[in-house]
Amino acid sequence: MLSHNLGYPRVGSLRELKKANEQFWAGTIDRDALQKTARKIRHQNWETQQNAGIGLIPSNDFSLYDHVLDTSLMVGAIPERYHQLVDGKSNKELDLYFAMARGYQKNGLDINAMEMTKWFDTNYHYLVPEFVKGQKFKRYSEKVLLEFEDALQKGILTKPVLLGPVTYLLLGKEKEVGFDRIDLLDSLLPVYISILKELSARGAEWVQLDEPGLVLDLNEKEKLAFLSAYNQIREALPKLRILVTTYFGPLEDNLAIATALPVDGLHIDLTRGAETLSQILADEAFVSSTKKLSLGVVDGRNIWKNDYRKSLEWIQTTVTVLGEDRVLVAPSSSLLHSPYDLDLEKNEAVLTPEIKNWLAFAKQKLNEVTTLARLATINYAGDNAFLDNQKAIESRRTSALIHKQAVKSRVREVREPDFDRQNAFAIRQAIQLEKLKLPLFPSTTIGSFPQTDEVRQLRAQFKKGALTPEEYETRIREEIVDSLRWQEDLGIDVLVHGEFERNDMVEYFGEQLSGFVFTQNGWVQSYGSRCVKPPIIYGDVEREEPMTVKWSAFAQANSEKLVKGMLTGPVTILQWSFVRDDQPRKDTTFQIALAIRDEVVDLEKAGIKVIQIDEPAIREGLPLRKHAWQSYLKWAVDAFRLSAAGVADQTQIHTHMCYSEFNDIIDSIAAMDADVITIETSRSQMELLDAFAQFNYPNEIGPGVYDIHSPRVPTVDEMILLLEKALKVIPARNLWVNPDCGLKTRKWPETEAALRNMISAANLLRESVEVANS
């Protein structure tokens, strides 16, 4: 039985790519050194998969920044503003590539980065393709060919992976009116066909085309586009074996389209769409064909060991209908979303042996795939691999570590009044205007300030025991006071303490909540060089003591200005963790919400008058199918309200969201009833505000006026222009001025320059409005 993998993590087991990228951007290494690191990671990934016994090993699943951006370069979908960087020289392609990802501000040029948003319902971010009417595509980057050849030179015949043409178009955005991006398919396909022909000519036997768009709600034109695309591809390449992969959900009403595609294999995700299997096996046309069915039985997005008994039941059911030679065994999706290797977790004080025995990271998932393919062909009941697996599954099911009855009881006792503030927003706003005495267009930042090498070393030294708690806290207090003085001098209205004591906006809280466990090297790529180390929620969640009050109270005591208390919201903590799968996600979220509620109440008692509860992942958690939205949005919004509703009207509650499309859920965002919402809008040039304007959003809004994910420093005029756009749809009394996200990943020089310009823009706008009203 053939095993295969859809994709492998690409940042390196110890984040080698992150470090090399950042060194390249800083100018401390050249492009050859960067490419050498990238090549080494690819080779290690292929060797790891080969050693695990994977039958079809992917290539072109690696990326220096983002695979959707790679596709845009591959098909020459380069927005016009970057054309001045295109000079036909291969050694300049990297400059263009990173300019599209991060913006470009040197050599007399000042070019914005491309818009970024979430990859389906994951915490991975991709660069949104930009399309114009009459868009022309042409082969530009040869990356897919070069990486296939690189593997061949190592003696490995890989299965090249490309983002499918229809999903690629669906992920993009029309940058002008008067056309549908799907209409660009006929222009796009010749480029795909040209590349596929060359791969075939170079010896490729299988090619994987990822079409997760097939798990989305599609209109009739979009459904027909899949048939049109693959009919043309098949006609041009009758002998190349093509595997179309779907993942992240069931096929539902797109099943007939998917099974009718003229391809050699279809992959389905059984971890998030198990019902699809029985539907396909009841499809007479598919069953009577020669197409292979790839079963995504190993969860590519979570870290729990696979239950071999359950997976083998799926595999054997399929074999009974299709025959062994038509069944492929695989992870559910690319392992991009999993940490590299559980074997790197050596510290038993961090990850106990009992819990570690329940886990599988990317390397271990490869072994699960090949073991399942082997077990499915034998009488496995007495096989040691099967027996060991079932012991681990039973150990987790019966462990005393997982359940806390007091926590479960508290969730059961939540009642409707627990979700509501004392009064409606209009009343609260009047009270807050009087109590907080903020000016028109109040300015703030989203929370974090640059995490310098010195700050990171402080935390590392403290963890190693090289600093005493007293020494560490003294140094952190110094950082906080310095940041407060700097913000005061700059003229920011609502300050933050900078979060110098925090490693990550989720990990920091998870470390202080029961029911969480952590890893040393469980890094997962979020975007580009940004990696996160998601906590693992293995049991019931409870806050046993205050988590942030000490630092927030210290900061407020050291400034006469308002200082925000900074928290991460319950849905974001859930979404950005590896979550237990033995109870409904809603129950886990409500446990976290009650823990955050306790912290909010304690912050208010400590004199904190402005409290921000970040929820950037609300939109990310939205089910991919609209029929499932209402149920999710109800409990997600309720979880936020539960976390925020324990304070008095005069306490101002903020929330923050970024890199999401808000149009379809604006009513739910309003239902969160935060006094102030700050959102990312700069990369879309305030386009995202249209949803708030059309809905007549009643509460206060801080649309981000500059893109913190790019190193470029926007001008004062640029920010004023964005604020003036915002004023057309937001009442002046409701408009805040802020960056579009936290500043943790930036450097201080660019941060200082950008915030100085931001405050100048706010002051100039304030003056112009006051003059106009005088």
Side-chain angles (χ1 to χ4, degrees):
M1 186 174 295
L2 190 61
S3 63
H4 74 109
N5 183 29
L6 276 65
Y8 207 64
R10 55 212 189 194
V11 294
S13 59
L14 298 175
R15 295 181 295 159
E16 295 92 335
L17 181 63
K18 167 192 171 63
K19 296 165 188 175
N21 266 333
E22 292 175 353
Q23 289 168 346
F24 175 72
W25 298 334
T28 58
I29 64 171
D30 62 16
R31 69 187 65 245
D32 289 339
L34 173 60
Q35 294 291 11
K36 182 178 179 181
T37 297
R39 192 176 304 111
K40 183 178 179 180
I41 293 170
R42 289 198 302 271
H43 291 180
Q44 289 172 340
N45 287 354
W46 290 328
E47 290 167 2
T48 297
Q49 294 171 82
Q50 188 177 49
N51 292 338
I54 294 293
L56 295 177
I57 296 171
S59 62
N60 198 47
D61 54 329
F62 177 84
S63 177
L64 283 172
Y65 200 96
D66 166 48
H67 60 277
V68 183
L69 177 61
D70 293 344
T71 307
S72 292
L73 264 288
M74 180 183 79
V75 302
I78 301 167
E80 185 176 356
R81 64 186 180 277
Y82 301 106
H83 286 187
Q84 54 200 319
L85 297 176
V86 180
D87 63 5
K89 297 178 182 177
S90 60
N91 65 342
K92 293 294 185 181
E93 185 177 312
L94 207 55
D95 293 337
L96 170 65
Y97 180 78
F98 285 132
M100 293 169 71
R102 307 175 70 243
Y104 190 90
Q105 196 172 43
K106 58 184 178 180
N107 301 326
L109 299 177
D110 190 358
I111 311 173
N112 291 337
M114 294 176 71
E115 186 176 345
M116 189 161 60
T117 195
K118 297 295 179 71
W119 172 252
F120 293 81
D121 58 350
T122 75
N123 185 33
Y124 177 80
H125 304 61
Y126 73 92
L127 277 300
V128 180
E130 299 180 13
F131 303 128
V132 296
K133 192 173 183 179
Q135 175 91 40
K136 301 299 181 185
F137 299 97
K138 63 178 181 179
R139 273 177 59 174
Y140 184 76
S141 171
E142 302 286 279
K143 172 181 177 293
V144 59
L145 302 172
L146 295 173
E147 293 187 9
F148 177 74
E149 289 285 354
D150 189 22
L152 272 184
Q153 290 174 13
K154 288 186 62 63
I156 302 174
L157 177 62
T158 59
K159 171 192 57 171
V161 177
L162 288 80
L163 180 58
V166 182
T167 295
Y168 173 68
L169 292 175
L170 291 174
L171 292 172
K173 179 178 284 189
E174 299 97 343
K175 299 305 288 185
E176 59 186 22
V177 299
F179 79 105
D180 184 339
R181 60 195 184 279
I182 291 298
D183 294 334
L184 301 175
L185 182 61
D186 287 340
S187 176
L188 177 64
L189 279 175
V191 180
Y192 268 83
I193 289 170
S194 171
I195 292 165
L196 292 173
K197 282 184 174 180
E198 189 153 348
L199 283 168
S200 180
R202 295 187 184 200
E205 297 178 357
W206 279 95
V207 172
Q208 175 182 316
L209 291 173
D210 287 349
E211 293 285 10
L214 281 164
V215 306
L216 303 176
D217 292 317
L218 301 173
N219 61 38
E220 200 61 28
K221 179 196 280 190
E222 292 164 346
K223 290 181 181 180
L224 293 175
F226 282 99
L227 286 174
S228 174
Y230 285 90
N231 280 328
Q232 293 183 58
I233 290 172
R234 174 53 73 208
E235 183 178 356
L237 295 130
K239 295 183 179 179
L240 181 64
R241 285 188 279 186
I242 295 170
L243 174 68
V244 166
T245 57
T246 69
Y247 39 83
F248 299 158
L251 290 170
E252 297 186 6
D253 59 324
N254 298 326
L255 184 135
I257 296 292
T259 56
L261 295 177
V263 296
D264 301 276
L266 176 67
H267 172 85
I268 57 175
D269 180 347
L270 295 185
T271 68
R272 290 178 177 248
E275 61 268 34
T276 300
L277 179 59
S278 59
Q279 294 166 348
I280 289 179
L281 296 182
D283 185 319
E284 293 183 6
F286 187 91
V287 171
S288 62
S289 75
T290 60
K291 296 176 186 174
K292 296 183 184 292
L293 186 61
S294 170
L295 304 179
V297 292
V298 173
D299 193 345
R301 290 180 54 177
N302 214 330
I303 42 67
W304 306 110
K305 270 187 178 174
N306 183 268
D307 184 344
Y308 284 179
R309 185 183 300 279
K310 182 178 180 181
S311 294
L312 287 166
E313 288 174 359
W314 281 330
I315 296 170
Q316 291 179 330
T317 297
T318 308
V319 168
T320 300
V321 177
L322 299 182
E324 186 178 310
D325 64 332
R326 289 180 61 191
V327 179
L328 283 71
V329 181
S332 60
S333 64
S334 169
L335 298 178
L336 163 70
H337 311 285
S338 296
Y340 256 84
D341 185 2
L342 189 62
D343 293 339
L344 296 174
E345 303 303 318
K346 306 290 188 183
N347 190 339
E348 294 185 359
V350 176
L351 186 63
T352 65
E354 180 178 6
I355 296 176
K356 185 177 179 180
N357 188 44
W358 303 339
L359 308 180
F361 291 178
K363 183 179 177 182
Q364 288 69 41
K365 290 177 186 294
L366 296 175
N367 292 322
E368 289 183 331
V369 167
T370 56
T371 299
L372 284 167
R374 178 181 66 82
L375 293 176
T377 63
I378 64 173
N379 181 3
Y380 57 79
D383 188 275
N384 286 336
F386 177 78
L387 294 174
D388 290 345
N389 172 266
Q390 291 302 289
K391 286 178 183 177
I393 299 299
E394 182 65 10
S395 165
R396 181 178 169 221
R397 189 185 68 80
T398 59
S399 174
L401 293 175
I402 292 174
H403 303 289
K404 288 190 173 185
Q405 293 308 316
V407 174
K408 298 181 190 296
S409 296
R410 191 179 179 195
V411 171
R412 287 195 297 267
E413 291 165 4
V414 170
R415 298 294 179 263
E416 285 300 319
D418 296 324
F419 301 119
D420 297 329
R421 298 286 297 272
Q422 294 173 348
N423 285 291
F425 170 72
I427 296 173
R428 299 200 307 269
Q429 186 181 39
I431 294 171
Q432 290 165 16
L433 284 170
E434 178 186 352
K435 297 289 187 180
L436 302 181
K437 302 187 185 309
L438 290 168
L440 195 64
F441 311 131
S443 58
T444 190
T445 61
I446 303 305
S448 57
F449 279 145
Q451 294 273 318
T452 62
D453 291 340
E454 291 77 13
V455 168
R456 290 192 178 96
Q457 288 168 8
L458 270 181
R459 287 201 303 268
Q461 289 173 335
F462 177 55
K463 283 189 174 183
K464 291 176 182 177
L467 290 176
T468 67
E470 293 77 16
E471 290 171 330
Y472 171 72
E473 292 192 5
T474 296
R475 297 283 298 278
I476 293 294
R477 288 192 184 100
E478 291 171 355
E479 293 283 348
I480 291 173
V481 171
D482 286 346
S483 77
L484 293 172
R485 298 294 169 263
W486 179 77
Q487 292 173 81
E488 290 167 346
D489 292 343
L490 199 61
I492 295 176
D493 298 306
V494 177
L495 315 186
V496 297
H497 78 286
E499 303 181 14
F500 302 108
E501 80 286 4
R502 303 186 189 184
N503 44 15
D504 175 82
M505 66 181 291
V506 173
E507 185 176 4
Y508 177 77
F509 291 95
E511 286 176 337
Q512 301 179 78
L513 294 167
S514 67
F516 284 76
V517 73
F518 297 86
T519 63
Q520 292 176 291
N521 294 292
W523 297 101
V524 177
Q525 185 182 28
S526 179
Y527 65 86
S529 67
R530 169 71 168 150
C531 298
V532 295
K533 191 150 55 72
I536 298 167
I537 305 177
Y538 70 88
D540 290 331
V541 177
E542 184 178 26
R543 187 198 79 145
E544 296 174 343
E545 58 185 25
M547 301 179 287
T548 68
V549 174
K550 176 177 69 176
W551 296 114
S552 293
F554 170 79
Q556 187 60 82
N558 278 274
S559 180
E560 294 182 359
K561 287 195 166 188
L562 296 168
V563 181
K564 280 192 291 188
M566 299 299 307
L567 305 172
T568 302
V571 175
T572 298
I573 290 177
L574 179 94
Q575 284 292 126
W576 292 359
S577 300
F578 292 118
V579 183
R580 59 190 291 192
D581 56 2
D582 61 339
Q583 72 175 13
R585 292 168 70 86
K586 171 186 174 182
D587 292 354
T588 303
T589 311
F590 273 40
Q591 291 178 2
I592 301 169
L594 289 168
I596 299 300
R597 183 188 181 98
D598 292 343
E599 188 74 9
V600 169
V601 170
D602 281 350
L603 283 168
E604 183 185 56
K605 289 177 181 176
I608 307 303
K609 298 178 174 62
V610 181
I611 302 171
Q612 182 169 308
I613 308 171
D614 287 337
E615 280 291 23
I618 283 272
R619 177 64 174 80
E620 172 191 314
L622 197 66
L624 298 177
R625 297 292 192 139
K626 288 187 177 180
H627 65 72
W629 285 12
Q630 186 175 0
S631 173
Y632 162 76
L633 287 169
K634 177 67 170 68
W635 64 254
V637 169
D638 280 351
F640 177 84
R641 292 172 65 106
L642 182 62
S643 71
V647 293
D649 287 343
Q650 66 192 41
T651 298
Q652 190 174 71
I653 297 293
H654 290 222
T655 192
H656 172 68
M657 297 182 181
C658 56
Y659 300 104
S660 295
E661 297 290 345
F662 299 115
N663 304 55
D664 292 330
I665 63 165
I666 188 64
D667 55 340
S668 295
I669 293 174
M672 292 169 67
D673 198 28
D675 298 306
V676 182
I677 180 172
T678 52
I679 57 173
E680 177 275 323
T681 55
S682 60
R683 284 202 179 197
S684 66
Q685 296 295 298
M686 294 286 173
E687 285 179 17
L688 292 177
L689 276 185
D690 292 344
F692 290 83
Q694 292 165 11
F695 181 77
N696 196 22
Y697 184 78
N699 298 19
E700 298 178 21
I701 307 178
V705 295
Y706 84 89
D707 174 21
I708 69 90
H709 294 86
S710 169
R712 67 177 294 273
V713 176
T715 65
V716 174
D717 289 344
E718 184 179 334
M719 294 195 210
I720 289 176
L721 181 62
L722 291 176
L723 287 168
E724 288 173 342
K725 283 186 178 181
L727 270 178
K728 293 178 181 177
V729 296
I730 301 174
R733 73 177 186 280
N734 286 1
L735 181 62
W736 284 66
V737 180
N738 46 261
D740 66 4
C741 205
L743 296 159
K744 174 182 177 181
T745 61
R746 299 269 50 92
K747 303 296 184 184
W748 269 113
E750 67 204 42
T751 295
E752 292 173 354
L755 287 180
R756 187 171 292 108
N757 286 353
M758 186 188 84
I759 296 304
S760 296
N763 290 337
L764 288 169
L765 186 68
R766 194 175 294 148
E767 291 170 8
S768 67
V769 170
E770 288 172 351
V771 168
N773 292 336
S774 61

